[in-house]
Amino acid sequence: MQKDYYKILGVAKNATTEDIKKAYRRLVHKCHPDIAGNTPEIIEKFKEITEAYETLSSPQKREQYDSIARLYEYAEKGSGEPKKEHKKPDSKKPESGSTANDDPPPPPKQRRENTFSKMREEAKNEHAKNIFSDFVNSMINRNAKANKQSQKKYIPPKVDGKDITTEVTLSITEAINGTERIVNILHMETCEKCRGRKFINGTICPECGGAGEKSKYKKLTVKIPPQVKHNSKIRVEGEGNKGYNGGKRGDLYLVIKIENNAEIKYDGLNVLRTIPIEPYEAVLGGYITFEMNGSSIQMKLMPNTYNGQKYRISEQGAEKDGKKGDLIVTIKIDIPKNISKEERDLYEKLKLLSKRSIRETSE
Ligand SMILES: [Zn+2]
């Protein structure tokens, strides 16, 4: 006999899905092991309630369950009253003549035939019963299988934790030589007080408000390798948000920002940097200074330096195993966008003074 899911949920056989849901919610509040206690009986009872709910709340499963329940009913009735049905006389049929009083007894041959047909009938019934019970058994097995499968399906799927992305700003020196940074990351973590169960002794966890998880800052020391580039990413495995239902943790990504958005490239231990200069510096030459390796570097600019010209400054690159690379500077003449009236006047004067003709003309 299968379990009476209607009885378990305390609902009528014609209850609506809404009634079933309500009844289930009521029972969850009363019988959840977190509330009613973690005893084997309660866990078993709760399992039964969940099983009943999962079957009856799905119209398809409920239909299947009901049809099996009907089969059981028929089977019980069928096995309880077969003889009575056989004895029931039907005066119009000759084979029931033996129990009928108003008909004369059939001749011996016919009686024999009647006995045969009766036996045949019974055998048929027996056979039909066997077929029927086979059918019921197969339905039960099918139902059990379906239940098993649906129980499997109800195991919530693994969900991996989300990645966390944060920016880290480095000085040029730090970017070249590597460094360590302490980052303070806001994680979602399982509530420690209720251990993710949401309830404590039947009341909502005061720590997480029943969410089962809390956001929490975590300080991490992250090692930043040497020679990182602007906008590059560093992955710190497993330091993202927590996963669910056995899913793995997400990762933490540090997006590297270099001060002044400095574009730095690397060629082995050599560091390649682009340094902007003023147009007058390009023409006149002279000394320019810029920050490098934590100190300011003074570099001699040749007069008439052109855009894209390269300068090599030895031993100002990256350092590794006692070896030092060079710094290779690419000059970029930066044309001013806003100039004062005075500057403009001077450019006008330059224009008049200039005797160069650097483009071919048609005349
Ligand atoms: Zn909690």
Side-chain angles (χ1 to χ4, degrees):
M1 186 61 198
Q2 61 179 2
K3 286 175 184 171
D4 189 342
Y5 287 156
Y6 293 99
K7 210 169 156 188
I8 288 165
L9 292 183
V11 294
K13 292 246 196 282
N14 60 358
T16 63
T17 307
E18 200 48 48
D19 293 337
I20 286 160
K21 276 182 188 165
K22 269 186 206 159
Y24 174 68
R25 275 200 290 265
R26 221 172 22 243
L27 285 169
V28 165
H29 280 286
K30 220 171 72 183
C31 303
H32 195 285
D34 287 349
I35 297 164
N38 237 333
T39 67
E41 293 81 36
I42 288 185
I43 290 167
E44 194 49 45
K45 193 176 175 199
F46 189 70
K47 248 163 81 182
E48 216 172 35
I49 289 164
T50 307
E51 194 183 303
Y53 172 70
E54 279 168 2
T55 302
L56 297 187
S57 62
S58 151
Q60 213 181 343
K61 283 187 200 159
R62 186 180 177 181
E63 174 61 40
Q64 201 184 20
Y65 172 83
D66 286 346
S67 66
I68 287 167
R70 276 197 296 274
L71 283 177
Y72 268 113
E73 246 171 70
Y74 289 139
E76 270 169 18
K77 269 187 197 162
S79 63
E81 309 173 304
K83 276 176 191 162
K84 210 173 151 193
E85 271 170 14
H86 264 277
K87 272 183 199 158
K88 228 178 202 171
D90 187 346
S91 57
K92 267 157 206 152
K93 281 186 181 168
E95 57 259 54
S96 59
S98 56
T99 52
N101 297 327
D102 47 350
D103 276 351
K109 198 187 165 198
Q110 203 185 340
R111 193 182 281 165
R112 240 192 344 265
E113 265 179 15
N114 280 348
T115 314
F116 273 130
S117 71
K118 201 174 171 186
M119 277 166 69
R120 230 177 20 233
E121 197 69 21
E122 272 174 358
K124 250 204 266 172
N125 281 342
E126 201 56 44
H127 184 58
K129 245 198 268 172
N130 285 341
I131 289 174
F132 180 70
S133 71
D134 283 353
F135 173 67
V136 168
N137 284 336
S138 79
M139 281 301 279
I140 292 163
N141 286 340
R142 240 167 67 187
N143 192 44
K145 240 185 225 169
N147 267 347
K148 235 183 198 171
Q149 269 168 4
S150 66
Q151 269 166 12
K152 260 184 206 161
K153 245 189 264 161
Y154 275 102
I155 294 171
K158 280 184 184 179
V159 180
D160 290 343
K162 284 203 172 105
D163 296 335
I164 297 174
T165 302
T166 190
E167 280 185 10
V168 169
T169 303
L170 303 179
S171 71
I172 290 160
T173 309
E174 285 174 322
I176 293 168
N177 298 314
T179 185
E180 255 183 19
R181 272 293 150 87
I182 295 168
V183 288
N184 209 2
I185 304 298
L186 193 63
H187 285 90
M188 283 311 278
E189 292 295 343
T190 304
C191 174
E192 281 171 11
K193 192 148 189 170
C194 64
R195 283 173 295 148
R197 288 165 160 268
K198 303 173 186 180
F199 291 96
I200 296 171
N201 298 328
T203 52
I204 284 173
C205 171
E207 187 70 23
C208 62
E213 56 182 21
K214 272 191 79 182
S215 55
K216 205 177 162 190
Y217 276 103
K218 186 177 177 186
K219 270 190 185 166
L220 281 173
T221 305
V222 182
K223 210 174 162 108
I224 294 161
Q227 305 195 343
V228 288
K229 288 176 186 166
H230 188 65
N231 286 331
S232 61
K233 279 182 181 176
I234 290 172
R235 177 164 166 258
V236 186
E237 205 182 327
E239 289 295 350
N241 281 318
K242 72 182 184 83
Y244 294 91
N245 314 318
K248 67 178 173 72
R249 291 194 76 99
D251 299 326
L252 169 67
Y253 284 93
L254 300 181
V255 179
I256 299 298
K257 297 286 171 186
I258 300 174
E259 271 176 0
N260 307 316
N261 301 334
E263 284 288 346
I264 304 177
K265 285 174 183 167
Y266 304 94
D267 175 18
L269 288 177
N270 294 337
V271 174
L272 282 59
R273 284 190 63 187
T274 298
I275 301 290
I277 61 168
E278 296 280 355
Y280 67 84
E281 288 176 317
V283 175
L284 302 175
Y287 286 93
I288 58 166
T289 55
F290 55 88
E291 284 282 312
M292 187 68 193
N293 280 341
S295 57
S296 66
I297 280 187
Q298 198 174 51
M299 191 183 90
K300 191 180 179 210
L301 206 62
M302 300 304 289
N304 305 322
T305 289
Y306 57 86
N307 198 37
Q309 191 169 337
K310 285 185 166 67
Y311 287 84
R312 179 182 289 262
I313 306 166
S314 63
E315 298 197 332
Q316 286 293 336
E319 196 177 339
K320 196 184 174 188
D321 304 327
K323 277 186 187 171
K324 270 187 172 178
D326 298 336
L327 169 65
I328 296 158
V329 169
T330 302
I331 294 299
K332 183 188 168 198
I333 300 171
D334 194 301
I335 309 297
K337 287 189 179 73
N338 299 300
I339 51 171
S340 65
K341 191 190 174 293
E342 207 177 348
E343 281 174 303
R344 172 166 283 276
D345 289 346
L346 287 170
Y347 272 108
E348 293 287 352
K349 202 172 168 186
L350 262 177
K351 184 184 167 183
L352 291 172
L353 284 169
S354 176
K355 290 187 173 75
R356 287 213 301 165
S357 73
I358 55 171
R359 287 174 296 277
E360 283 178 37
T361 52
S362 53
E363 284 170 36

